[in-house]
Amino acid sequence: LINKMEKMYLINYDFKENGHGIDTFSYRLYNELRKRNLDIEKIEINNFYKRTLRYVKPIFINKSIRRKLIYTLNKNVIKNKNIHVLDPSALPIKYLLLPKRKIVTVHDFYMFNEKQMQNRIKRFKRPLNWLAYKNIINERKIYGYLKYYDFVFAVSKEVLERSVSDFGVNREKIEVSNDI
């Protein structure tokens, strides 16, 4: 799919080792690829947010929503480049056609679990619960665009099967790859 000599850009909200989640996966993947002397660069979407608003974090807002309040991925940063999106929600749908080649990793489908999502929304007081609900609906829409990626990594067989059956991903363009 991508020549070993071509530069690849890893895209995620954060690259940090905190012991869990996609941020840790991203951090470890970036470091492992660097050890192999691959031409790799990371793009942290919330770099601006982290630098300027680190003392004014609205802690009453869920991290997932807070990340999207200040979305700093500039379209020129990814135009005509090879990208690997480490969280499907990290690339705006409107930017999907800009990269030269694009890969995505799908970790899970937690936002489709109605009971879990209702419990998340209940934690917020009005009107923030509306914002949380809107965030979930937007994340669900993003998964409909998985089929437009050049390649999809699924972290489990279940994620692979659901990506194919529910979201129309071509079986030839998806494989299971456990977290690093």
Side-chain angles (χ1 to χ4, degrees):
L1 177 66
I2 295 173
N3 183 329
K4 213 174 177 185
M5 303 305 287
E6 290 184 76
K7 186 171 199 145
M8 173 64 75
Y9 294 84
L10 298 179
I11 299 174
N12 193 34
Y13 295 101
D14 289 305
F15 290 78
K16 64 183 178 184
E17 180 134 49
N18 60 5
H20 56 78
I22 295 172
D23 297 342
T24 297
F25 165 76
S26 302
Y27 173 86
R28 291 176 181 168
L29 178 63
Y30 173 74
N31 287 322
E32 287 298 318
L33 294 173
R34 297 278 300 182
K35 285 180 191 175
R36 288 160 175 77
N37 295 320
L38 296 173
D39 196 4
I40 196 91
E41 192 173 314
K42 61 184 176 181
I43 297 173
E44 287 184 284
I45 295 172
N46 284 349
N47 210 13
F48 170 81
Y49 172 80
K50 289 191 309 188
R51 284 191 321 256
T52 57
L53 297 178
R54 66 177 166 249
Y55 303 112
V56 194
K57 286 182 183 175
I59 57 174
F60 57 89
I61 298 177
N62 169 296
K63 180 174 85 170
S64 177
I65 296 170
R66 196 169 59 228
R67 286 176 161 179
K68 293 169 185 76
L69 289 176
I70 300 177
Y71 201 84
T72 61
L73 180 64
N74 183 323
K75 67 181 179 179
N76 294 326
V77 171
I78 62 168
K79 193 173 185 179
N80 295 319
K81 294 181 178 164
N82 299 314
I83 65 168
H84 183 156
V85 181
L86 300 167
D87 176 352
S89 69
L91 183 67
I93 295 166
K94 63 184 179 182
Y95 292 174
L96 198 58
L97 298 176
L98 295 173
K100 184 163 116 181
R101 292 192 181 96
K102 53 199 166 298
I103 299 170
V104 65
T105 297
V106 181
H107 296 269
D108 54 35
F109 292 104
Y110 74 91
M111 82 288 301
F112 291 93
N113 180 318
E114 284 303 320
K115 187 175 180 180
Q116 186 178 0
M117 291 302 100
Q118 289 302 322
N119 287 337
R120 282 182 174 214
I121 291 170
K122 286 178 187 175
R123 291 187 301 188
F124 299 101
K125 294 184 176 29
R126 295 183 194 267
L128 292 177
N129 60 358
W130 175 83
L131 185 60
Y133 176 76
K134 188 160 176 52
N135 178 58
I136 291 167
I137 297 304
N138 287 336
E139 282 195 34
R140 288 177 178 179
K141 286 180 189 174
I142 288 168
Y143 280 76
Y145 290 87
L146 290 175
K147 62 186 166 208
Y148 298 112
Y149 281 86
D150 297 312
F151 199 80
V152 178
F153 286 111
V155 297
S156 69
K157 182 77 171 158
E158 294 81 12
V159 169
L160 181 146
E161 293 301 329
R162 183 138 186 212
S163 297
V164 171
S165 66
D166 295 2
F167 301 103
V169 174
N170 183 336
R171 278 201 185 271
E172 295 174 7
K173 293 183 175 186
I174 187 169
E175 73 178 43
V176 174
S177 177
N178 295 322
D179 285 346
I180 197 159

